[in-house]
Amino acid sequence: METAFKVTQMGRWVVAGGAAVGLGALCYYGLGMSNEIGALEKALIWPQYVKDRIHSTYMYFAGSIGLTAVSAVAVSRSPALMRLMTKRSWLAIGATFAAMIGAGALVRSIPYDSSPGAKHLAWMLHSGVMGAVVAPLAFLGGPLLIRAAWYTAGIVGGLSMVAMCAPSEKFLNIGGPLGVGAGFIVASSIGSMFLPPTSALGAGLYSVAVYGGLILFSLFLLYDTQHIIKHAETHPFYGVVKYDPINACLGIYMETLNIFIRVVAMLATGNAKRK
């Protein structure tokens, strides 16, 4: 237990350090101390179609969050679905991953311009599946989830401002390291499901999955926010393949969900220690 507590404390210090760096970056770029031009300055000369693309992308992002919340509430009120989503067998975990990956691949594969109806149905299906995945968090109680939602909104809003104020391609070069880090986080998340959190290894994997995952997905959010801006600016207006705001929003949507899950885990751990 002492080892597990030390590992958890170290994870919290790492997250606190990351928050301090993020706040410093927001002040640095937001006050215009950088010599490079950020997206906010470039927005003044954007053509209207670039503004429309970014606006529609974030509207679909907001819609995805809303659909996920509705799906999570609906699943949490069904005892049969909750029993299904809380099983810890390898079969249940594999089926959950298959449903998430399959729904994501389906919505990405359908063209936005030629099949708008099917595209929107697949988009709603994907949001519904993700809502079912996060539904078991309802066991922790509504007040804790509301707090986590507010904290997540603050984190996502702050990181988005950092990405908007920073030079337009500042975070686009970290995609490779982020992909490697994602592999470690996935492996740690799966391992922590089957190891007791009171053991040194279990506590270590849990801390990597929660605290390391929070930092990793925060960096992913910076990367994808600037990728959305870059894609909206450079995608040909008269191209054969039209700009797809649904596909563009999926990255920041998944990262927001992952940040929310980890904030919930941190708050739940803090409440358990106080009790």
Side-chain angles (χ1 to χ4, degrees), residues 37-113:
I37 299 176
L40 282 180
E41 289 85 358
K42 293 175 67 176
L44 298 175
I45 58 173
W46 277 343
Q48 186 60 41
Y49 71 87
V50 174
K51 298 178 182 179
D52 292 341
R53 288 173 173 179
I54 294 176
H55 178 264
S56 61
T57 298
Y58 277 90
M59 288 300 293
Y60 278 112
F61 166 67
S64 297
I65 297 296
L67 289 170
T68 302
V70 171
S71 172
V73 170
V75 172
S76 67
R77 294 180 177 178
S78 170
L81 291 176
M82 286 294 282
R83 283 195 299 270
L84 179 64
M85 297 308 301
T86 52
K87 286 184 178 180
R88 286 178 170 264
S89 65
W90 283 107
L91 180 60
I93 294 173
T96 301
F97 272 98
M100 290 190 295
I101 295 172
L106 177 64
V107 69
R108 289 182 182 276
S109 66
I110 300 175
Y112 179 78
D113 54 337

Side-chain angles (χ1 to χ4, degrees), residues 135-171:
L137 296 177
F139 287 126
L140 298 174
L144 186 144
L145 296 182
I146 292 174
R147 283 175 57 202
W150 279 111
Y151 292 163
T152 302
I155 293 171
V156 173
L159 290 171
S160 299
M161 284 303 300
V162 170
M164 290 290 290
C165 294
S168 57
E169 298 185 15
K170 188 72 175 179
F171 301 109

